[in-house]
Amino acid sequence: MMHSIQAVVQETGITAHVLRVWEKRYRAVVPKRTKTQRRVYSEADIRRLKMLRQATSLGHPISSVAKLSDEKLKKLVRGKSALASSSRAGNGPATDTKIIRDCVAAVKAFDGEALNILLSRAVVDSGYNALLRHVVAPLTQRLGQLWSEGTLQIAHEHFATAAIRAFLLNPARQYAGASSTSTLISATPQGQLHELGAVMAASLAAEQGWHSIYLGPSLPAGEIAGAAVQNKARVVVLSIIYPEDDQNVDSELRDLRRFLPTNVAVFVSGRAADRYDAAIAATGAVLIKDLAHLQIELAKIRAGRT
C-alpha cells in the first residue's frame, strides 16, 4: 500500500517542508512517483521516517543519520549505538554554541528574517524536539543573561520573544495535535510576564501529539482554570521565570489547584519554579526540571500512569 505526502505527514509528524528537504538534500528516503508525478511512500518509507524523526529528536543531526541503514537506525533510537553518545558529546555542543551565537547576533541586529532562517535550519538539521531543547532553551537563557548584564535592551528582549513565539506557535507547525483528545493548557501566572517558557511547553506538547492551547502571559488562576475546564484539559503547565520572588505566585498556585478538577494535572516549570517548591508540594503539582522531563511527564499522562 502506498501513501500520499499528507498521509505521511499525519503518520510521522514530519512537516511536508522538512520531508522535502530530507529527501532532496539528504536522500533520507526515495519515494516512488505516480503517473502524474506525485510522490508516494511505502510502509517501509514510513517506518524509516519515524525512526529518523526519533533520532533527530534525540539530538542527532539529519546529516549524520540519513544514510544509516534501517537496522543501524533501529539500534540508534533504542540507545544501542555508540553514535548516540559520540554525537551528543562531540558534535552537539559545538554546533549549538555557534547557532546560539548567530541567533544572538540576529537579535542584536533586530533581524527577524535571519533569526527565522536560523531556527528553520535547526529544525531541518536536528528536528523540532532538538530545536527546543538545544537551541531555543539555551538561547532564551543567554538572552536573559545579556539583558540582566545590560548588554541587551528591553527592546531586544521583546523583539526576540515576539520572533521566537511567532516561529514556535506558527499554525503550520501545530500539525501533531490538531485532532487529539488530550488537551494541554499553557500560560504564566498573574504577574509573570516572561512567556517563552510557556510557549516552549505548548510547542513541545503539540509536537508530542497533544492538542496544545497557549493562553499567554500573566493570567489569573481563575481564567486559566476556566479555559482548562472548558476545553477538558488533562494538564495545565505554568512557567515561572521572573520575578523570582513574586509574592503572588503561592496564592495563584493554590487558587488554580482549588479551581481545577482533581483529575487535571498541574505542571510548574521555568527558571524560578523551584523557589516555590512549598506551594508546589502543597498543591500536588509537579515541578518540571526541563523540556526532557516535561516530555516524560506528558508521556505518563497519555499512558494513564499518573
Side-chain angles (χ1 to χ4, degrees):
M1 179 179 178
M2 305 303 289
H3 302 268
S4 66
I5 291 178
Q6 291 79 8
V8 173
V9 168
Q10 185 174 2
E11 181 73 16
T12 66
I14 301 170
T15 65
H17 168 70
V18 170
L19 182 57
R20 289 189 185 94
V21 173
W22 284 11
E23 290 172 18
K24 293 183 67 175
R25 189 180 301 176
Y26 303 108
R27 304 280 290 179
V29 294
V30 182
K32 296 185 182 302
R33 297 272 180 174
T34 66
K35 292 180 180 179
T36 57
Q37 293 303 302
R38 291 180 180 273
R39 307 200 313 278
V40 289
Y41 301 79
S42 66
E43 295 286 348
D45 290 333
I46 290 179
R47 286 194 297 271
R48 179 172 176 80
L49 287 167
K50 284 181 177 179
M51 289 191 291
L52 287 170
R53 183 171 180 267
Q54 285 182 272
T56 57
S57 294
L58 292 170
H60 302 288
I62 187 63
S63 57
S64 298
V65 297
K67 298 298 184 182
L68 293 179
S69 67
D70 287 354
E71 189 60 32
K72 288 183 178 179
L73 266 178
K74 191 178 297 183
K75 290 181 180 179
L76 177 62
V77 298
R78 290 178 179 174
K80 295 180 180 178
S81 171
L83 176 60
S85 57
S86 65
S87 175
R88 284 193 293 269
N91 298 333
T95 303
D96 292 345
T97 299
K98 181 181 185 308
I99 193 170
I100 290 170
R101 287 201 305 267
D102 290 344
C103 287
V104 169
V107 170
K108 287 182 177 179
F110 294 103
D111 191 339
E113 182 178 359
L115 183 58
N116 193 71
I117 289 172
L118 288 165
L119 296 175
S120 297
R121 287 176 179 170
V123 173
V124 171
D125 289 343
S126 300
Y128 199 79
N129 192 301
L131 167 79
L132 292 172
R133 292 168 61 178
H134 304 309
V135 179
V136 177
L139 173 61
T140 56
Q141 291 178 358
R142 181 62 178 145
L143 293 174
Q145 290 172 354
L146 293 173
W147 175 75
S148 64
E149 293 167 2
T151 305
L152 292 181
Q153 303 169 2
I154 293 177
H156 288 109
E157 195 268 342
H158 284 195
F159 166 80
T161 295
I164 296 171
R165 179 183 61 223
F167 183 87
L168 295 182
L169 298 182
N170 185 334
R173 293 187 176 86
Q174 303 301 304
Y175 53 82
S179 61
S180 175
T181 57
S182 296
T183 298
L184 174 144
I185 298 289
S186 179
T188 76
Q190 188 167 240
Q192 292 285 319
L193 298 175
H194 290 253
E195 61 181 310
L196 281 184
V199 169
M200 284 189 284
S203 189
L204 175 66
E207 196 271 342
Q208 295 299 309
W210 287 73
H211 176 210
S212 182
I213 301 174
Y214 173 63
L215 298 181
S218 190
L219 282 177
E223 296 292 331
I224 298 171
V229 171
Q230 179 180 338
N231 290 280
K232 297 181 174 60
R234 299 179 67 183
V235 179
V236 171
V237 180
L238 298 181
S239 177
I240 303 173
I241 295 177
Y242 182 86
E244 299 178 356
D245 55 351
D246 191 336
Q247 297 180 357
N248 295 320
V249 168
D250 273 25
S251 61
E252 288 295 307
L253 276 174
R254 294 175 192 274
D255 284 346
L256 179 63
R257 182 67 276 172
R258 182 162 54 88
F259 296 150
L260 285 173
T262 56
N263 64 338
V264 178
V266 177
F267 294 169
V268 184
S269 63
R271 188 176 64 241
D274 59 359
R275 303 293 181 93
Y276 307 94
D277 53 358
I280 291 171
T283 57
V286 177
L287 177 62
I288 299 297
K289 300 173 184 177
D290 51 32
L291 288 171
H293 184 205
L294 175 60
Q295 187 172 346
I296 291 170
E297 293 298 328
L298 289 178
K300 289 180 182 178
I301 295 286
R302 290 287 287 273
R305 297 202 304 269
T306 58

